């Protein structure tokens, strides 16, 4: 059992919406907070929300949010006694967790040893086999050449999946369906793995398709308590990046939830996992599930679990890190987890949904955030915020809760129609399209859902005739005055926002 340690001040080694989520949990628990920021994040909301804030370097993550020495230096200066890594950046970096502990501080997450074990995907899969967790057939070690990959692919049978051994989040992954494509895929996967994780190692698995991506939220503490809080359905993805999450899954029944939960909890207990974590699985149509990976941190999509279970996962993380047991109400819930209602999360990203989700940067010039019963928006942007090339494209998480899936979808549809963003392209149109799609409404999902059903050209907009007339008048007026040299504007008329609002008001069909 870990000795109890009072946490009085937490440094948040992150930025964006997750930094604000942590700051709010600290505030509600009477814990002071310390933010760190790069020079271009000086005006960011997480800096404003924190009790203290320190600049740690330039915009490039390696010179700020990935700079372990600079973060520890701020922790020492500020008198912080714990560090929360959030997700991304250093959240699953065992070296960072070890350095925090060596500095006499509390790392809010699992031990460095567990992060190490789960960070290397091949060894993690081998460990899961020993714990009795089903795994996908694949190579026992990393593969060193395209020829070796080809040999294993022929043995397992196409299609196969090349995966980065050191990473996750869809980076360094390639599906290979034919012998003649494997050399190119191997070169691309190793190159992307090197760029993303500093390690080009890849391994190969049989590609299970069609399949769903379903994950189990677990908690473990130093008092011997290990629980799960049910599943999250994360099958709606593009290029292995999650777009929408919901719970409960429309596919998972009580028996499957119990089997997956028991597998995750037993493995967590076997590895002495303490704090919050997520076991990710692939599930085939016959409800066979296979281990994918363990994320040794809080997930982006954790709010949907919170809304149906009553948990505050951030507060649980802080409790466990301070040596306290998991809250009793969650232990009671986990004995027979029956989600209360239904929750859906849409990730609003700065990506053009009409152009294959191409990244978009710039200044947000207009933002209208929806609200109302059962609505939660976790964000770190406002009108005037800059979306830069340096960081993740996530702008906000739009989350709704309702008594059942049908009502949750109806609520999300309303919320998305109220949401307005101008200045950068976003994924909003995709989400509006999704909430009208018959396959999604029927719960018929798979990891290939976007590839099979989403066609950007199918997005139609209802043009508001009144606004169209106003826009036409403005343009005519501007052109006329410009021709006569009588313009009253200091610069060109920006009709982009108007055009966007015209496309948004009528909703997407």
């Amino acid at each position: 059992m870990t000795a109890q340690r009072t946490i009085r001040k937490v440094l948040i080694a992150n930025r964006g919406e997750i930094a604000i989520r942590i700051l709010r949990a600290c505030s509600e628990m009477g814990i002071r907070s310390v933010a760190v920021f790069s020079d271009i994040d000086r005006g960011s909301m997480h800096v404003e929300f924190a009790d203290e804030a320190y600049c740690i370097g330039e915009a490039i993550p390696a010179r700020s949010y990935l700079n372990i020495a600079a973060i520890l230096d701020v922790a020492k200066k500020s008198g912080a006694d714990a560090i929360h890594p959030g997700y991304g950046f250093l959240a699953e970096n065992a070296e960072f967790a070890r350095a925090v502990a060596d500095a006499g501080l509390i790392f809010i997450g699992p031990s460095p040893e567990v992060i190490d074990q789960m960070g290397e995907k091949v060894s993690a899969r081998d460990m899961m086999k020993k714990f009795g967790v089903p795994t996908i057939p694949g190579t026992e070690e990393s593969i060193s050449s395209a020829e070796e990959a080809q040999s294993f692919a022929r043995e397992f049978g196409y299609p196969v999946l090349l995966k980065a051994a050191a990473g996750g989040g869809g980076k360094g992954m390639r599906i290979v369906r034919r012998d003649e494509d494997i050399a190119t895929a191997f070169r691309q996967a190793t190159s992307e793995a090197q760029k993303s994780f500093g390690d080009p190692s890849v391994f190969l698995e049989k590609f299970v398709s069609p399949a769903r991506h379903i994950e189990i939220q677990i908690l473990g503490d130093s008092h011997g308590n290990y629980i799960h809080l049910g599943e999250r359905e994360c099958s709606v993805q593009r290029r292995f990046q999650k777009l929408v999450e919901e719970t409960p899954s429309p596919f998972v029944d009580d028996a499957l939830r119990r089997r997956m939960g028991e597998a995750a909890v037993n493995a967590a207990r076997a590895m002495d996992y303490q704090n919050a974590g997520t076991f990710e699985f692939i599930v085939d149509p016959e409800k066979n599930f296979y281990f994918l990976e363990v994320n040794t941190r809080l997930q982006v999509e954790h709010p949907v679990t919170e809304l149906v279970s009553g948990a505050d996962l951030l507060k649980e993380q802080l409790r466990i890190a301070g040596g306290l047991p998991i809250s009793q109400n969650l232990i009671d819930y986990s004995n027979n987890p029956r989600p209360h209602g239904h929750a859906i999360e849409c990730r609003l990203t700065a990506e053009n949904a009409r152009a294959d989700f191409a990244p978009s940067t710039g200044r947000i010039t207009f933002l209208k955030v929806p609200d109302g019963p059962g609505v939660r928006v976790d964000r770190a942007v406002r009108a005037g915020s800059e979306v830069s090339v340096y960081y993740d494209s996530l702008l906000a998480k739009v989350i709704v809760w309702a008594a059942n899936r049908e009502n949750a979808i109806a609520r999300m549809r309303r919320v998305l129609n109220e949401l307005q963003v101008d200045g950068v392209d976003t994924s909003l149109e995709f989400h509006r399209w999704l909430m009208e799609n018959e396959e999604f409404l029927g719960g018929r999902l798979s990891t290939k859902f976007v590839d099979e059903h989403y066609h950007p050209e199918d997005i139609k907009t209802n043009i508001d005739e009144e606004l169209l007339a106003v826009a036409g008048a403005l343009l005519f007026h501007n052109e006329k005055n410009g021709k006569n040299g009588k313009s009253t504007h200091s610069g060109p008329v920006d009709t982009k926002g108007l055009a966007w609002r015209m496309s948004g008001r009528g909703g997407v069909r």
Side-chain angles (χ1 to χ4, degrees):
M1 183 185 301
T2 302
Q4 290 187 19
R5 297 174 64 182
T6 302
I7 298 177
R8 296 185 174 84
K9 183 182 283 191
V10 172
L11 183 149
I12 295 94
N14 218 299
R15 65 183 298 280
E17 66 84 21
I18 188 59
I20 292 177
R21 173 73 183 93
I22 300 165
L23 288 164
R24 285 174 166 155
C26 288
S27 175
E28 291 176 14
M29 296 178 74
I31 298 171
R32 292 186 62 78
S33 57
V34 180
V36 293
F37 60 92
S38 68
D39 52 8
I40 66 166
D41 272 346
R42 189 173 298 276
S44 296
M45 288 173 64
H46 80 282
V47 175
E48 180 184 315
F49 275 55
D51 294 313
E52 302 171 37
Y54 298 81
C55 184
I56 52 171
E58 301 172 25
I60 299 170
R63 297 176 184 173
S64 50
Y65 297 107
L66 293 175
N67 187 334
I68 294 175
I71 292 168
L72 291 178
D73 184 53
V74 169
K76 184 178 178 182
K77 285 179 185 172
S78 63
D81 41 33
I83 295 181
H84 196 302
Y87 54 71
F89 293 129
L90 296 168
E92 295 179 276
N93 185 314
E95 179 191 349
F96 179 56
R98 197 167 285 115
V100 171
D102 289 346
L105 305 173
I106 300 170
F107 179 78
I108 301 173
S111 68
E113 292 74 24
V114 167
I115 297 174
D116 252 341
Q117 291 168 345
M118 294 299 103
E120 212 289 319
K121 305 306 178 190
V122 178
S123 64
R125 192 183 58 184
D126 290 344
M127 184 175 287
M128 290 302 134
K129 282 184 184 176
K130 294 175 185 173
F131 297 154
V133 180
T135 59
I136 302 170
T139 56
E140 299 292 332
E141 298 178 349
S142 299
I143 49 182
S144 57
S145 68
E147 290 73 23
E148 191 179 2
Q150 191 174 56
S151 174
F152 280 114
R154 289 172 177 171
E155 177 184 338
F156 297 133
Y158 288 97
V160 295
L161 184 63
L162 285 166
K163 300 174 67 175
K171 303 290 186 184
M173 295 176 69
R174 293 292 184 280
I175 301 169
V176 190
R177 301 182 184 280
R178 305 181 306 172
D179 227 26
E180 52 267 42
D181 294 336
I182 202 153
T184 301
F186 181 82
R187 185 174 63 254
Q188 292 173 340
T190 53
S191 174
E192 192 169 292
Q194 174 66 41
K195 290 177 184 174
S196 301
F197 313 113
D199 181 351
S201 302
V202 297
F203 65 105
L204 185 144
E205 285 181 344
K206 175 70 179 170
F207 181 59
V208 179
S209 181
R212 290 172 178 255
H213 182 130
I214 296 173
E215 61 189 28
I216 299 291
Q217 175 71 56
I218 63 105
L219 290 170
D221 66 25
S222 61
H223 298 259
N225 299 307
Y226 292 92
I227 68 168
H228 78 89
L229 299 175
E231 81 281 3
R232 293 185 287 261
E233 166 96 45
C234 311
S235 298
V236 180
Q237 309 176 354
R238 53 107 181 113
R239 296 193 289 272
F240 304 108
Q241 300 285 328
K242 299 166 187 170
L243 297 169
V244 173
E245 299 92 359
E246 63 180 305
T247 187
S249 162
F251 182 70
V252 173
D253 55 26
D254 288 346
L256 180 57
R257 181 177 300 116
R258 184 175 60 254
R259 286 195 293 131
M260 295 178 73
E262 286 177 355
V265 165
N266 291 340
R269 182 180 288 110
M271 70 174 85
D272 193 23
Y273 194 109
Q274 295 178 20
N275 217 277
T278 298
F279 281 67
E280 296 194 334
F281 297 98
I282 283 291
V283 185
D284 70 18
E286 286 72 45
K287 297 191 175 177
N288 300 304
F289 63 91
Y290 305 96
F291 173 76
L292 268 182
E293 62 182 1
V294 176
N295 291 140
T296 55
R297 56 173 166 77
L298 198 66
Q299 294 283 81
V300 176
E301 57 271 25
H302 73 274
V304 292
T305 296
E306 293 183 327
L307 291 180
V308 301
S309 70
D312 185 319
L313 289 170
L314 254 303
K315 291 181 181 176
E316 292 303 315
Q317 284 195 293
L318 290 162
R319 283 178 58 87
I320 294 167
L324 294 171
I326 298 166
S327 295
Q328 187 59 46
N329 65 309
L330 297 184
I331 295 175
D332 295 341
Y333 174 85
S334 71
N335 291 329
N336 185 20
R338 291 185 178 277
H340 174 59
H342 199 97
I344 303 175
E345 173 181 294
C346 290
R347 298 188 187 193
L348 183 73
T349 55
E351 296 174 312
N352 188 341
R354 290 172 176 266
D356 196 25
F357 296 95
S360 177
T361 59
R363 183 183 295 273
I364 295 175
T365 56
F366 181 85
L367 177 64
K368 180 183 176 185
V369 180
D371 55 19
V375 179
R376 169 176 166 178
V377 180
D378 287 9
R379 65 185 171 103
V381 294
R382 55 193 167 197
S385 293
E386 284 286 346
V387 180
S388 81
V389 299
Y390 296 106
Y391 307 122
D392 189 86
S393 62
L394 183 66
L395 300 177
K397 302 185 308 197
V398 182
I399 312 127
V400 300
W401 177 92
N404 55 47
R405 189 171 190 263
E406 181 182 4
N407 289 344
I409 290 172
R411 179 161 287 165
M412 181 62 84
R413 203 178 285 144
R414 186 267 294 174
V415 165
L416 293 175
N417 282 332
E418 290 180 2
L419 176 61
Q420 294 185 13
V421 188
D422 197 12
V424 295
D425 294 319
T426 75
S427 55
L428 180 56
E429 287 182 321
F430 167 81
H431 292 300
R432 287 173 172 166
W433 166 85
L434 183 68
M435 293 301 140
E436 301 284 355
N437 180 270
E438 289 297 327
E439 294 299 305
F440 179 79
L441 300 182
R444 295 181 288 275
L445 309 177
S446 82
T447 54
K448 302 300 291 179
F449 180 89
V450 173
D451 292 338
E452 293 175 351
H453 299 290
Y454 179 58
H455 306 290
E457 62 274 17
D458 292 343
I459 291 180
K460 297 176 181 176
T461 56
N462 281 354
I463 301 299
D464 187 304
E465 297 297 335
E466 182 181 348
L467 279 175
L468 185 62
V470 172
L474 280 171
L475 288 171
F476 175 77
H477 177 74
N478 188 48
E479 289 175 0
K480 181 181 178 183
N481 285 345
K483 183 179 179 181
N484 296 332
K486 298 177 181 177
S487 175
T488 58
H489 299 282
S490 58
V493 172
D494 181 4
T495 59
K496 183 179 178 185
L498 187 56
W500 191 96
R501 283 188 284 279
M502 284 193 295
S503 67
R505 283 186 68 180
V508 177
R509 298 290 186 268

